[in-house]
Amino acid sequence: MDKWMKNNNFNKILALALGIILWTIVHVDTAPTYQTTVNNESKTIENVKVEIEGFDSEKYVLTKDVDSVRMEVMGKKSDLTYKFSDAYRVWLDLKDVKPGDNTLPLMYSTPSGVTLEAMVPNQVNVHIEPRTTKSFPVSLNIMGEPAAGYEVGSPVIDPESVEVTLPASDLGRVAKVQGKVELDGQNETFSEKRLKLFALDSKGNVLEDAVIEPSTVAVEVPVTLPSKTLPLDISFTGSLPGSLVLSRVTPEQDMVTVYGSAETLKTLSSYEAVLDLSAIKNAGTEQMKLELKPPEGTGKIEPAAMTVAVSAAEITQRTLSAVPIKLEGVSSGLTARIIDPGSATMDLTISGAPTLLDQLDQDSISVVADAGGLTAGVYDVTLQVSLPRFITLQNTASQLVAKVELVAPAAPAATAAPDSSPIPTPTPEPSAEPASGDETLVEPTPEHTGEIIEETPTPTHIPPEAEPTPPASGNNANSTGGT
């Protein structure tokens, strides 16, 4: 023990322990404890929301006359001060309530240490009605205008119809289900993947209680320039090398779509594209890219380019014999005939690709003598020859003439009208033979013959050859086929 007392560390620890004991003795309140009374306070909590429990909202619709209540509570100040309003709950238990009209008490809960003194109101009138569902088509209310010159096309809606659920008494009020689209200077297609829908009555009022499934749709509203689909015509520039000729030109498609103002589109009936033949070097088929440019005054063209299959072959010739000449354009009342050539046919020499020439017959070629505007007489009429595409006529212009005679109908023979004056009746004379008495006969002397003379005039005719022959007219028939 003496050894410990002489240890400096031991003495320090002992002194600390004694100090703690003395501090505890001094500071512990040994006075008797007496019971004290706690003062409670009251508090009013406004607008406590009424919650709904046990209600199947998919099958029924609920209408109630109370959405929130006022609660008057009592408790210690600390409990009233430090408890959040969320700790106070009011709810309506609809688990076992049947459809119809019901008056139900409100349930509540308060924080620990807080009691409810009053709740206004403490009950709720509810009306429960089964839901009814009906399908409605989706429509759009397109507001505003697109950019100048642009047009709004037919919208695409997905899905096209939705189901609206309401109480049976309200479902009949639904006039349409609609979404709203704003077009304010739009110059491109409007697209919205989740456009909100509303159920509207006949006056355009929104039925707030309507449940729409799905509640949104995907919408695409085309906003484009006016368009017109035109047939594609291909013309050519440049020339083929040597003795090559075209046998076929086949574009990917034979129609194009041009976009522009309505006024400009009215003037367009076809679209002409130009193909440069100088790019072709050999016989055979070659795929060429054809660039399409919008016509002047238009915005764009679709497609902007396409591939064209161009076939070329060595040129050959063929003669078609006795191709009929057709008379057209003869004025009413005239009779026409071809007097030279007398057979009213002619031979045509044509050139082109061998495959095209082999397919030709008289039905695919037209030779016409147009007598339009000519009067009676004899005329040299230039023939008009129509050939299939890529076929060339080799006949000279002097060979493409026919002599046509136009004859007017002969005037009818004139006939003298008969004399309509009455023929006088002779006055009877006494008989020359005596009768039974002393009468004597006297020879009658005729006074009228009663004969009518008809004259038939002799018609005169001036032969057509006596009339002057107008100069020959007509169009050059040397045709190479249209584009």
Side-chain angles (χ1 to χ4, degrees):
M1 186 67 180
D2 292 339
K3 185 177 179 180
W4 286 0
M5 294 299 293
K6 294 179 180 180
N7 189 310
N8 189 34
N9 291 332
F10 175 77
N11 290 331
K12 291 179 179 179
I13 294 172
L14 181 61
L16 178 61
L18 292 174
I20 292 173
I21 293 172
L22 292 174
W23 184 89
T24 303
I25 293 173
V26 171
H27 286 82
V28 170
D29 186 5
T30 58
T33 304
Y34 299 97
Q35 188 80 21
T36 58
T37 300
V38 178
N39 293 325
N40 288 335
E41 297 182 0
S42 64
K43 182 178 180 180
T44 299
I45 304 174
E46 302 284 352
N47 298 322
V48 180
K49 184 179 178 181
V50 176
E51 301 174 11
I52 305 298
E53 292 187 357
F55 180 69
D56 189 350
S57 59
E58 294 184 357
K59 294 183 179 180
Y60 301 99
V61 176
L62 170 67
T63 304
K64 61 184 187 300
D65 61 353
V66 174
D67 292 323
S68 62
V69 299
R70 184 179 76 252
M71 300 181 70
E72 295 181 3
V73 296
M74 176 93 49
K76 292 188 296 184
K77 182 177 182 180
S78 58
D79 291 335
L80 296 176
T81 303
Y82 298 107
K83 300 294 183 182
F84 294 106
S85 297
D86 293 344
Y88 300 88
R89 288 187 63 235
V90 176
W91 69 90
L92 188 62
D93 187 1
L94 300 175
K95 182 173 57 177
D96 298 323
V97 178
K98 303 299 182 182
D101 294 319
N102 300 272
T103 300
L104 304 174
L106 289 171
M107 312 297 289
Y108 68 92
S109 66
T110 59
S112 176
V114 179
T115 59
L116 178 67
E117 293 296 313
M119 182 169 58
V120 180
N122 60 5
Q123 61 183 16
V124 179
N125 295 319
V126 298
H127 175 76
I128 298 176
E129 187 174 349
R131 287 184 179 273
T132 304
T133 300
K134 183 179 178 181
S135 180
F136 287 86
V138 178
S139 62
L140 293 181
N141 179 19
I142 300 179
M143 305 180 67
E145 295 293 335
Y150 283 75
E151 291 183 343
V152 178
S154 299
V156 179
I157 305 173
D158 185 27
E160 295 180 350
S161 62
V162 295
E163 292 186 338
V164 178
T165 301
L166 275 171
S169 57
D170 290 335
L171 192 59
R173 297 170 55 201
V174 180
K176 57 187 173 182
V177 176
Q178 193 174 76
K180 184 170 68 173
V181 173
E182 293 277 357
L183 297 181
D184 187 11
Q186 191 88 7
N187 60 2
E188 59 184 2
T189 296
F190 174 89
S191 181
E192 175 60 62
K193 296 187 179 297
R194 295 180 60 85
L195 183 70
K196 188 175 181 180
L197 300 178
F198 301 92
L200 307 177
D201 63 14
S202 59
K203 296 182 179 180
N205 300 316
V206 177
L207 302 176
E208 300 289 353
D209 296 333
V211 178
I212 304 174
E213 183 61 36
S215 60
T216 62
V217 293
V219 173
E220 186 173 282
V221 181
V223 177
T224 60
L225 284 169
S227 65
K228 188 175 184 179
T229 300
L230 303 173
L232 173 66
D233 292 335
I234 298 180
S235 60
F236 306 96
T237 186
S239 58
L240 295 173
S243 58
L244 294 183
V245 291
L246 291 175
S247 62
R248 176 173 296 183
V249 176
T250 308
E252 284 183 311
Q253 60 190 69
D254 54 6
M255 304 293 286
V256 297
T257 302
V258 177
Y259 297 83
S261 66
E263 292 75 12
T264 301
L265 295 180
K266 287 180 181 179
T267 64
L268 303 178
S269 58
S270 63
Y271 177 82
E272 183 176 352
V274 180
L275 189 65
D276 187 2
L277 297 180
S278 61
I280 300 176
K281 304 301 181 183
N282 303 298
T285 300
E286 185 174 341
Q287 302 293 326
M288 301 182 66
K289 186 176 181 181
L290 183 62
E291 300 288 344
L292 305 182
K293 296 181 179 180
E296 185 177 355
T298 63
K300 65 176 181 176
I301 185 172
E302 292 181 350
M306 68 172 67
T307 301
V308 181
V310 181
S311 299
E314 293 290 337
I315 189 171
T316 59
Q317 285 192 354
R318 178 184 174 188
T319 298
L320 291 178
S321 302
V323 179
I325 301 174
K326 301 177 183 178
L327 267 172
E328 293 183 356
V330 179
S331 299
S332 177
L334 297 180
T335 301
R337 68 187 182 95
I338 298 173
I339 58 178
D340 186 19
S343 63
T345 63
M346 71 175 307
D347 297 339
L348 295 179
T349 301
I350 53 179
S351 64
T355 55
L356 297 182
L357 295 181
D358 292 342
Q359 299 171 6
L360 284 181
D361 54 25
Q362 291 186 359
D363 294 336
S364 56
I365 294 179
S366 174
V367 180
V368 175
D370 187 2
L374 300 181
T375 58
V378 177
Y379 301 89
D380 288 332
V381 177
T382 301
L383 300 178
Q384 301 173 4
V385 181
S386 297
L387 298 171
R389 197 178 191 193
F390 307 135
I391 299 298
T392 303
L393 184 66
Q394 299 299 319
N395 296 58
T396 62
S398 61
Q399 296 173 326
L400 299 175
V401 177
K403 190 176 293 292
V404 178
E405 181 184 33
L406 301 175
V407 180
T415 303
D419 190 355
S420 60
S421 59
I423 300 175
T425 304
T427 304
E429 297 290 337
S431 176
E433 293 190 12
S436 56
D438 295 335
E439 296 179 356
T440 59
L441 294 176
V442 179
E443 290 291 333
T445 303
E447 298 180 358
H448 300 280
T449 62
E451 183 179 354
I452 301 176
I453 300 176
E454 295 182 0
E455 292 186 1
T456 301
T458 301
T460 59
H461 176 66
I462 300 175
E465 291 78 358
E467 298 180 6
T469 301
S473 63
N475 296 324
N476 191 344
N478 189 8
S479 172
T480 60
T483 301

